[in-house]
Every structure is written in C-alpha cells, then in structure tokens.
Amino acid sequence: MPKNIGLSLIGAFLLGLAWFNPNLSWLILIAFVPLLLAEKQLSHPSKNIENAQWLLLSGLFALVSTGLIFYQNQQLELISWLSYSAGLTLALMLFKFTKDTLGKQRGYISLPFFWLSAEALHYYYSLGAEPLPLGQAFTENTLVGHWLPQIGYLGMSLWALVCTLVFYFLVSDFLSKKEWRQLLIQGGLALGLFVVLPIFLGPTPQEPSTPQDLNNADQFIARLSFFLAGFQVLFSLVKSYLDKNKVV
C-alpha cells in the first residue's frame, strides 16, 4: 500500500505542476499513469477494503493536485478546494466501480467521461469552486494553446485524457513484458499519432484568444460526457444488482 500511495502522490504532483509553467503543461499527458498503475496493483480478498484503498488513493490524488492548481491560480480557499477535489474523487470512484462491474475495457473508456463530467459540472452549477479543467493548463502553451478557441477547454481535456490512457497502456504492457524495443516502437508511434500529428494537423494559430465560458465544442463534449457517464453508472448498477441476485 505505501508504494501505491507514493504512485498516487507522484501523479498528483505531475498534474499539479502542469499549471506552474506553460512548458510543464505536457505533464498532464502522463499524470494519470502512476495513479492507474496503483489502481491496477490493488488486490484484496475483501472488495470493501480494496474500494477503501482506492478511495484513499483517488482522494490523495485529487486533493494534492487541485491544491497545487488552486495555489498557482491564487484561488486556494478551503471550500473551493474540498468541493472541486470531492467531485474528481467521485469521478475516480465511479471509474473503479464501472471497471470492476463491466470490465477493464469499458472501465478505461468511461474514465475520461467521468472526469470531464466532474470538470463540466462546475460550469453549470455553483458548487463553491471555479472550474479549472485540464485544458486550461495549455492556455499559454505555444504549440497547442491556439486550439482552445476551436475545441474548447473540455476538448483539450479530452485529448489529454486519451493521451494519458494510451501512455498508461504502453507503460503497463512494458512492466509486464520488459521489452524495451517494443516500448520504443510503440511509444514512438503513440507519440507521433496522438501528440505530434495533432500538432501539425490541428487548427492554425490565430490571434490569442481563449474561451471564458463553454463554447460550442465544450457544450457538446459536456453533454456527451454527462450522458455517457450517467449511462455507464446506470448500466453498472443494473449489472451489479443482477450479478448479486444471480438473475440471468
């Protein structure tokens, strides 16, 4: 467990530090990798204890990362900090529940939409905290910051979450096989397809401007995330009930 706590804190610091300098915003693309590695290693005969361990890990990840983000944005107030981190912790808990109930594939696919729902919710309701989506860290990044007017904060967040999942799968596969050549080849392909290629094919730079509120792309991604996250939770609850009661 101490090793998993360390992995969670490493991920939290990577995520939080991404806001301290535009050149550090790339850390978001790998920030979730240590946390997901910790989740993969969780194993206990009692599911309740395993869930409690994941609650601790996800809570630490959310509290430390949002604390650093709010501190850098000079918004570190107790209510805002607790409100925002609680929503992100819930998103991670729902990911774990979905993954355990519906399987790894659907679980990992659902993670971005749970996280995006937690981010977007603060745009629609006053929950005591200003929204600080992952995409906002790229605002002053010279390579991708100009994407924001076109794809919005949540579009950038979705891109970052997809990238971090891809890199997690590569690292996880390497740790199980220990094949450096395969890691270099697959890592190079992933970096080219998900980072380098989008930079070259993405929107052309325009006059500096970033959306202050949700633009059309943001609103579409937010609604899609709410729908898919809600559907996954409902489907998971139904399947969990059927499995528990042995209903075929």
Side-chain angles (χ1 to χ4, degrees):
M1 191 58 186
K3 179 182 177 181
N4 289 335
I5 292 176
L7 287 171
S8 176
L9 291 175
I10 289 172
F13 279 110
L14 289 174
L15 185 59
L17 289 176
W19 265 261
F20 280 70
N21 187 289
N23 295 321
L24 295 178
S25 57
W26 300 107
L27 292 176
I28 292 178
L29 304 187
I30 60 170
F32 288 80
V33 173
L35 179 69
L36 293 175
L37 289 174
E39 189 276 331
K40 182 182 179 181
Q41 296 174 17
L42 287 178
S43 178
H44 197 279
S46 171
K47 200 63 184 175
N48 291 333
I49 293 179
E50 184 177 325
N51 290 334
Q53 291 175 340
W54 177 241
L55 176 61
L56 173 63
L57 296 178
S58 56
L60 280 174
F61 180 82
L63 281 168
V64 174
S65 60
T66 54
L68 289 170
I69 294 168
F70 280 123
Y71 173 78
Q72 172 61 15
N73 287 273
Q74 299 179 343
Q75 299 177 17
L76 187 55
E77 298 179 358
L78 182 60
I79 297 299
S80 298
W81 184 21
L82 294 178
S83 173
Y84 206 78
S85 59
L88 300 181
T89 301
L90 177 59
L92 293 173
M93 292 298 296
L94 291 174
F95 149 71
K96 172 72 170 169
F97 174 60
T98 301
K99 178 172 173 282
D100 290 344
T101 306
L102 303 180
K104 295 180 180 179
Q105 184 181 38
R106 290 176 180 169
Y108 288 120
I109 290 174
S110 71
L111 175 58
F113 299 106
F114 285 132
W115 189 273
L116 290 171
S117 295
E119 288 187 345
L121 202 60
H122 291 272
Y123 284 102
Y124 290 91
Y125 301 99
S126 178
L127 300 175
E130 290 294 322
L132 283 173
L134 299 178
Q136 189 168 327
F138 294 94
T139 300
E140 298 180 9
N141 187 292
T142 55
L143 291 177
V144 297
H146 57 274
W147 294 1
L148 282 168
Q150 283 76 33
I151 68 173
Y153 290 128
L154 299 183
M156 292 289 286
S157 295
L158 178 58
W159 168 71
L161 289 165
V162 170
C163 288
T164 201
L165 281 174
V166 170
F167 294 138
Y168 160 70
F169 293 138
L170 292 176
V171 172
S172 179
D173 184 63
F174 168 74
L175 292 176
S176 63
K177 298 179 180 178
K178 298 294 195 303
E179 295 183 5
W180 283 101
R181 183 172 180 274
Q182 182 176 324
L183 175 66
L184 292 175
I185 293 174
Q186 293 180 342
L189 286 173
L191 193 64
L193 288 173
F194 292 94
V195 180
V196 178
L197 192 61
I199 288 176
F200 281 101
L201 298 182
T204 56
Q206 299 175 354
E207 289 296 320
S209 65
T210 56
Q212 299 301 314
D213 298 307
L214 296 182
N215 62 15
N216 291 335
D218 276 318
Q219 292 178 31
F220 172 77
I221 293 173
R223 291 166 183 168
L224 179 65
S225 298
F226 291 148
F227 172 77
L228 292 178
F231 177 78
Q232 290 281 46
V233 170
L234 181 60
F235 192 32
S236 298
L237 287 171
V238 171
K239 189 176 186 302
S240 178
Y241 173 81
L242 295 178
D243 291 344
K244 183 177 180 181
N245 292 275
K246 295 181 170 44
V247 178
V248 180

